[in-house]
Amino acid sequence: MHIGIDVGGTNTDAVLMAGDRVLATIKTATTQDVTTGIRDALDGLAEAHPFAPGDIDVVAIGTTHFTNAVIQASGLAATAVVRLGLPAAAGIPPLTGWPARLRSAIGEHVHLCHGGHEFDGREISPLDPDELKRVAEDIVACGVDSVAITSIFSPVNQEMELAAAEILRAQVPWLRISLSHEVGRVGLLERENATIVNASLLPVADRITGAFHAALVKVGIEAPLYLSQNDGTLMDAEYVRRYPVATFAAGPTNSMRGAALLSGLSDCVVVDIGGTTTDVGAVVGGFPRPATTEVDIGGVRTNFRMPDVVSIGIGGGSRVVLGEESVVGPESVGLRLHTEGLVFGGSTLTATDVAVAGGLADIGDPTLVAHLDRARVRRCLDAIARRVGVLADTMRTSAEPIPMVLVGGGSVLLPDSVPGFDKVVRPENYAVANAIGAAIAQVGGEVDRVFSAADGSRGDILDKAKDEALRKAVLAGADEDTVRVVEVEELPMAYLPGDAVRVRVKAVGDLVLGGTR
């Protein structure tokens, strides 16, 4: 058996599964101390379907901890930024365009150093060890423990990042170092930003993974802990400690994976409505479609792997002003829905109250919303359906019909038909699709590199990339017999010499369970 948990802004959902079979589900209120909510969810599962802690093979958790830490600029580590590229790339220094609150949280520890490569692999300038040793002295003097190293065109040649890390670590052995070629993609500023965000989150990652382990131990579960990452696969706790930024948008990703399983549809548009937001994404071949553009995280432009998701501030906890032209959201009561919503005896009119008044949901005490004007309630619900339908329509890539799958506890806000979609599916256990997505997630390996003609023929290059992706998946914990390639993407890079091509390959496999590895 295995457990999936998804921590949202309003609810913490958990599911107990045996293979693809759902044994028990539970939805509890997210607590200010999120790990307490996880313990409550585990206790609820044990009550719904008693199990021995030793029978659990794996616990997979999707969490918003790291995203929230960046958005709120809370708990981030002071981070030194080392860019290798002088005398080039000095015109726009690191942290340019960052919100003031984030710059203040991580500090202004910026170091421009020699090094880097041209797009064709030629050195911009040699690495200067003495220069980096002076940087190490400054890092120690400022009391900084986290460092983000970015070299120009390191996705083409990462040698200088690796060498710089070795020099700094030799001077300051306790440094936590993030390297840009391991975090982001081609595009200096966005890749650098992603690396800085990752480095600033490293102590948060230690604290959160430790708290999750403690929550499991408290209820007697000693199974391996995995966290969801934003491509629909899992990573173990040690990987999270190195790359916490990979957890961003794991919630919507889990929902999309869970929706695909529950609906039996490998290609669909998924609408996930929670307590605060509506997230809409596309599933292609059973996995979330990745975004192809830069992603804004807390006001910082980044280019690491993220799902293609669009969101609006409509959820079950959204505040509502009911009138001739009703206003829904974006403000939400969030995790206080269970005490502030009218149907729960509170004094705030929420979208959940409107859904109950309109007969779409049976939650709380319907008599507490019986006084609401029925015509205004109907117009409000119609407006919500139209807004979601328009948002979902942006996920189309062609005029061909595509089904919509509704999941999330807040999906009770929508009727069984949505404008623009011929087929709308609300599968069984839709309210905990996010936790199911976490529970069934596989283990993945990805390669995203620039190859040239010197690396062989097109077939040789693709075979080399596929083999590397398959190997990475197995090393990450996938069962070798189940690993397969699910995505191959080639992008010719006309501005690079030697018939260069960027190749991205993703492989996934089932997690090794029960000590059979």
Side-chain angles (χ1 to χ4, degrees):
M1 293 189 290
H2 47 115
I3 291 174
I5 301 173
D6 191 273
V7 182
T10 304
N11 293 304
T12 295
D13 301 333
V15 59
L16 176 67
M17 301 185 70
D20 288 343
R21 187 162 54 95
V22 178
L23 303 179
T25 67
I26 190 73
K27 184 181 288 286
T28 63
T30 295
T31 57
Q32 292 290 350
D33 172 14
V34 181
T35 53
T36 298
I38 290 176
R39 290 200 299 270
D40 292 343
L42 291 170
D43 290 339
L45 283 182
E47 291 179 12
H49 187 102
F51 59 85
D55 291 339
I56 304 301
D57 286 316
V58 166
V59 176
I61 299 178
T63 178
T64 58
H65 273 91
F66 303 108
T67 307
N68 292 344
V70 173
I71 291 174
Q72 299 168 8
S74 172
L76 302 180
T79 302
V81 184
V82 178
R83 181 192 290 175
L84 308 177
L86 289 179
I92 303 178
L95 304 181
T96 296
W98 280 51
R101 69 184 188 286
L102 283 176
R103 292 178 67 115
S104 175
I106 69 171
E108 302 278 350
H109 310 288
V110 172
H111 304 273
L112 299 179
C113 301
H114 289 81
H117 291 86
E118 300 284 3
F119 56 79
D120 59 359
R122 290 180 292 116
E123 283 189 1
I124 294 174
S125 62
L127 204 65
D128 185 340
D130 292 334
E131 184 178 48
L132 289 169
K133 289 176 183 178
R134 291 192 294 272
V135 169
E137 292 173 358
D138 186 71
I139 288 173
V140 172
C142 294
V144 174
D145 291 332
S146 292
V147 179
I149 301 177
T150 304
S151 178
I152 297 178
F153 274 104
S154 62
V156 176
N157 188 327
Q158 61 264 41
E159 291 177 359
M160 287 198 182
E161 286 189 358
L162 295 171
E166 188 175 341
I167 293 170
L168 292 179
R169 203 171 269 123
Q171 301 297 310
V172 192
W174 60 84
L175 279 183
R176 307 167 183 263
I177 299 177
S178 292
L179 304 179
S180 78
H181 74 272
E182 297 178 344
V183 176
R185 296 172 174 172
V186 174
L188 175 64
L189 296 180
E190 292 81 6
R191 172 164 44 89
E192 182 176 67
N193 287 343
T195 309
I196 298 168
V197 170
N198 190 77
S200 70
L201 285 169
L202 294 178
V204 180
D206 278 347
R207 186 171 69 252
I208 295 304
T209 53
F212 286 168
H213 272 300
L216 297 181
V217 170
K218 190 160 186 175
V219 296
I221 295 177
E222 298 181 0
L225 170 66
Y226 287 81
L227 268 70
S228 303
Q229 56 182 332
N230 47 30
D231 67 346
T233 60
L234 297 173
M235 51 186 172
D236 63 21
E238 185 56 39
Y239 191 93
V240 177
R241 291 189 182 101
R242 293 177 59 194
Y243 307 109
V245 77
T247 65
F248 283 28
T253 300
N254 284 338
S255 294
M256 286 189 273
R257 289 278 288 146
L261 172 73
L262 294 173
S263 66
L265 298 169
S266 60
D267 295 276
C268 56
V269 169
V270 176
V271 175
D272 174 25
I273 307 182
T276 305
T277 62
T278 293
D279 301 317
V280 182
V283 171
V284 179
F287 283 87
R289 184 175 67 204
T292 56
T293 58
E294 290 84 9
V295 179
D296 185 289
I297 301 296
V300 178
R301 277 183 28 166
T302 64
N303 68 352
F304 60 91
R305 179 191 63 221
M306 288 281 279
D308 187 7
V309 175
V310 291
S311 303
I312 53 175
I314 292 179
S318 294
R319 296 175 182 268
V320 175
V321 177
L322 204 59
E324 293 301 322
E325 295 291 335
S326 297
V327 177
V328 182
E331 293 81 13
S332 172
V333 297
L335 56 82
R336 302 187 305 279
L337 172 62
H338 305 282
T339 56
E340 291 195 16
L342 295 185
V343 294
F344 299 107
S347 58
T348 303
L349 177 62
T350 68
T352 296
D353 300 317
V354 176
V356 172
L360 295 183
D362 184 12
I363 302 171
D365 185 354
T367 64
L368 297 177
V369 291
H371 64 283
L372 297 179
D373 182 274
R374 290 292 179 261
R376 290 184 175 184
V377 164
R378 176 47 51 199
R379 285 196 296 271
C380 180
L381 292 173
D382 289 344
I384 291 173
R386 282 195 301 273
R387 286 184 63 187
V388 173
V390 169
L391 187 69
D393 198 54
T394 65
M395 286 290 106
R396 294 180 186 272
T397 56
S398 74
E400 294 297 316
I402 185 170
M404 173 188 287
V405 181
L406 299 178
V407 295
S411 65
V412 296
L413 300 179
L414 297 184
D416 292 330
S417 62
V418 176
F421 289 83
D422 297 332
K423 182 179 181 181
V424 177
V425 179
R426 197 191 313 264
E428 186 180 4
N429 293 315
Y430 67 89
V432 291
N434 46 6
I436 291 173
I440 66 165
Q442 296 170 300
V443 179
E446 184 179 73
V447 172
D448 187 353
R449 284 177 45 199
V450 176
F451 294 86
S452 69
D455 295 309
S457 66
R458 175 178 178 273
D460 292 338
I461 289 172
L462 290 179
D463 288 342
K464 187 182 300 183
K466 289 176 182 178
D467 289 343
E468 186 176 344
L470 292 168
R471 186 168 61 253
K472 283 186 174 182
V474 173
L475 290 174
D479 184 340
E480 188 171 3
D481 295 332
T482 67
V483 176
R484 71 192 191 283
V485 173
V486 295
E487 288 181 27
V488 178
E489 181 180 316
E490 296 177 77
L491 179 64
M493 305 182 77
Y495 57 89
L496 296 186
D499 296 325
V501 60
R502 176 180 170 185
V503 177
R504 189 178 72 85
V505 177
K506 178 179 175 182
V508 299
D510 295 336
L511 188 66
V512 176
L513 299 175
T516 58
R517 189 178 177 189

